[in-house]
Amino acid sequence: MTSLPPLMFTPPSTKRVLGRKCDPQLSSVYFEFSIVYLSFLVHWILVCFKVKPTFRRIHLLMAGLILVKALNLIYAAVNVTDTHESGNNLLFLVDHHE
């Protein structure tokens, strides 16, 4: 049997690197975009009610996708501000939003 050659590289560490904790600027950007997506959702719903005769189920799917994207951005904003010190990170986000 032949022996295996030594490793030519250092294997990456198994730690997850998530960036800086409690980055208020990045969380603010995520929160602002979630507000934009929620306003798109309101506009989409108003447009759908305006053109009710041509309303189809695909329009509901589009509204659902916009809602999921907005909730995803809110979750990402809360996740960036996660300090593991308080359970009310969403209140921290709304309070520090400029």
Side-chain angles (χ1 to χ4, degrees), residues 80-95:
V80 168
T81 61
D82 190 12
T83 60
H84 300 293
E85 293 174 1
S86 77
N88 293 329
N89 291 333
L90 187 58
L91 294 177
F92 170 81
L93 178 67
V94 171
D95 186 42

Side-chain angles (χ1 to χ4, degrees), residues 14-31:
T14 56
K15 281 185 171 179
R16 282 181 46 180
V17 178
L18 296 177
R20 298 184 311 213
K21 286 187 177 183
C22 194
D23 189 358
Q25 291 175 342
L26 185 59
S27 65
S28 170
V29 170
Y30 284 150
F31 189 69

